Amino acid sequence: MLGSIRRFAFEPIAPVRRRLRARVDVISRDLRMLKGSLLGKHPPPFRERHASANDVQVAAAPRVVRVASVIRESADCVSLVLQDPRGNEPFAFAAGQFFTVVVRIDGVPYRRAYSASSSASETDSVTISVKRVDGGLVSNFIHDHVVVGTELELLGPSGDFVVTVRESDTARTLLMIAGGSGITPIASILRTVLEADERTNFVLVYGSRSSGDIIFKGALDELVRAYRGRLRVVHVLGRADVTVTPHVGVLGEQELSTVLDREGVAIKQIDRCYVCGPEPMMEAARACLGAGGLSFERITFERFLAPRPPAFDARSNEPHTIKLRRNGRSLDLIAMPGQTLLEAALAAGEPFPFSCTMGGCGACKVKKLAGHVAMAEPNCLTEAERGDDAVLACVACALSDVEVEVP
């Protein structure tokens, strides 16, 4: 009789039990990925973000992709063409956005953010480009070990360094300034917008160490030929090569001003400018464009910076209550000493958006309503977001009981 009652009681909820077990497996996997990603010698880059409608909330579960092609763009840059092995899920992103790649090395998952370099209109695949970094755990692994057929995990897209395709009869001219691997998101923008928006023209000023270090040189030459009169590419090299360009030097403020003047580019006639590259070049471009009369609101920056591994100046030695508010409901959970808000939420089985886990993409941004936290610095929060009490759950540890609102 008891056995009959057991079968009657439990058989109807068996599917629920299976779903719960599956959910536990997902949470355990996410926690392993989250902790493993913090073990790399070099954390992923992050971007200076401008809060906008283009920010994308990234789901916690990555998709599996397969490397369909490996392209050597230069001595230290490789492009990976990624496809869906099942062939039934398109790659939807805006030109200029980046993806977070999960690479497993010796069984440990590491997360790194890489910009898409392919056209956003080609949704059957996406190409990411990776520059080798001296001592970089993941970039060196990709260069040395990733081949056609390698399976990776992908999150995203994320980022707001984007140029939208318009439906307008009004012409516009966009100035793009790139240094080194900063050409990667700009390549995606050029490939996408030149094809789809006939009223948008581009001037690209691209700084490289030498002619052999120019990433996408052949592709850029082809775009110039295909869209003659709409795209002008001006190379600036650290080592002279008159077969490529007359411009030699590093893109400092004066050098950039000189190049633009010699090329007849009037800053005041530029509708918008997009800048991506090393920090000194970024600051030089900011100063040059400002002196030329281009307002800051018409300049979009994309920074690839390496934040320090999460290390908090102040840590609590006690567990604290974290109250999560979302869609009119609230949930109390416990954050153990040293545990981030994201780790605490995932450990409690609460779905939570995240991507890079290193404070670099803004996917896990929440609003702090009460309490105190310590965050790893630097991170991608803008000054406006900080002033609005935004925190990044992936690098924030509670110093007291905390209440946050999750979008």
Side-chain angles (χ1 to χ4, degrees), residues 115-136:
S115 294
S117 56
S118 54
S119 171
S121 64
E122 300 172 2
T123 59
D124 59 335
S125 67
V126 65
T127 301
I128 61 169
S129 299
V130 181
K131 186 173 182 180
R132 187 190 292 270
V133 178
D134 290 340

Side-chain angles (χ1 to χ4, degrees), residues 321-326 329-333 345 348-351:
T321 298
I322 310 299
K323 182 181 289 292
L324 299 182
R325 293 193 178 276
R326 174 162 36 196
R329 69 181 184 92
S330 66
L331 170 71
D332 288 342
L333 52 90
E350 182 70 6

Side-chain angles (χ1 to χ4, degrees), residues 10-327:
F10 284 93
E11 282 179 356
I13 65 170
V16 178
R17 295 175 66 189
R18 287 195 295 270
R19 288 196 296 272
L20 287 174
R21 283 197 296 270
R23 180 61 188 156
V24 169
D25 291 341
V26 170
I27 293 167
S28 299
R29 181 203 62 197
D30 288 343
L31 285 172
R32 289 195 301 272
M33 291 173 61
L34 183 62
K35 293 178 180 178
S37 67
L38 305 183
L39 301 177
K41 292 167 61 178
H42 293 272
F46 69 81
R47 279 81 171 163
E48 178 185 75
R49 297 168 50 256
H50 299 269
S52 77
N54 290 317
D55 284 337
V56 175
Q57 293 295 303
V58 184
R63 62 185 291 188
V64 175
V65 296
R66 182 174 295 150
V67 177
S69 181
V70 178
I71 305 168
R72 300 289 168 179
E73 304 287 2
S74 68
D76 60 358
C77 182
V78 65
S79 288
L80 307 179
V81 180
L82 306 177
Q83 292 182 339
D84 182 352
R86 297 170 299 175
N88 58 5
E89 186 176 352
F91 294 89
F93 66 98
Q97 287 190 305
F98 65 92
F99 288 84
T100 299
V101 179
V102 183
V103 177
R104 296 180 182 273
I105 304 175
D106 296 328
V108 179
Y110 300 87
R111 295 176 176 226
R112 298 296 184 266
Y114 297 114
S115 294
S117 56
S118 54
S119 171
S121 64
E122 300 172 2
T123 59
D124 59 335
S125 67
V126 65
T127 301
I128 61 169
S129 299
V130 181
K131 186 173 182 180
R132 187 190 292 270
V133 178
D134 290 340
L137 179 66
V138 174
S139 68
N140 281 279
F141 179 86
I142 289 175
H143 274 255
D144 297 335
H145 300 289
V146 171
V147 296
V148 172
T150 298
E151 288 193 344
L152 304 170
E153 293 170 87
L154 201 66
L155 284 156
S158 299
D160 57 3
F161 186 78
V162 300
V163 176
T164 56
V165 175
R166 310 169 308 159
E167 294 183 1
S168 173
D169 293 331
T170 304
R172 63 174 174 174
T173 299
L174 305 181
L175 173 62
M176 321 299 282
I177 302 175
S181 60
I183 189 63
T184 305
I186 290 176
S188 177
I189 291 170
L190 294 177
R191 286 166 164 156
T192 304
V193 180
L194 282 168
E195 178 186 16
D197 187 347
E198 296 181 353
R199 301 293 289 169
T200 296
N201 305 311
F202 291 93
V203 177
L204 167 63
V205 178
Y206 180 22
S208 306
R209 290 175 298 185
S210 68
S211 57
D213 293 303
I214 299 175
I215 303 172
F216 310 128
K217 185 178 187 306
L220 290 173
D221 290 343
E222 290 180 10
L223 286 172
V224 169
R225 288 192 292 270
Y227 298 99
R228 193 172 302 277
R230 293 184 53 211
L231 170 64
R232 183 146 53 107
V233 176
V234 181
H235 290 287
V236 180
L237 300 178
R239 287 201 300 271
D241 187 338
V242 293
T243 65
V244 176
T245 181
H247 303 295
V248 181
V250 178
L251 284 177
E253 179 181 355
Q254 185 56 52
E255 290 81 359
L256 179 58
S257 178
T258 299
V259 168
L260 293 176
D261 184 61
R262 289 177 179 175
E263 293 291 332
V265 179
I267 295 176
K268 290 184 178 180
Q269 295 178 5
I270 296 296
D271 292 285
R272 280 199 72 85
C273 182
Y274 293 78
V275 188
C276 184
E279 185 67 20
M281 188 211 77
M282 305 279 280
E283 293 305 318
R286 185 195 300 267
C288 173
L289 296 170
L294 196 67
S295 65
F296 181 75
E297 291 74 19
R298 292 161 61 192
I299 309 172
T300 302
F301 295 92
E302 179 86 319
R303 278 185 166 84
F304 298 165
L305 300 177
R308 296 186 300 273
F312 302 94
D313 296 332
R315 288 179 180 265
S316 174
N317 295 321
E318 301 176 354
H320 293 291
T321 298
I322 310 299
K323 182 181 289 292
L324 299 182
R325 293 193 178 276
R326 174 162 36 196
N327 298 329

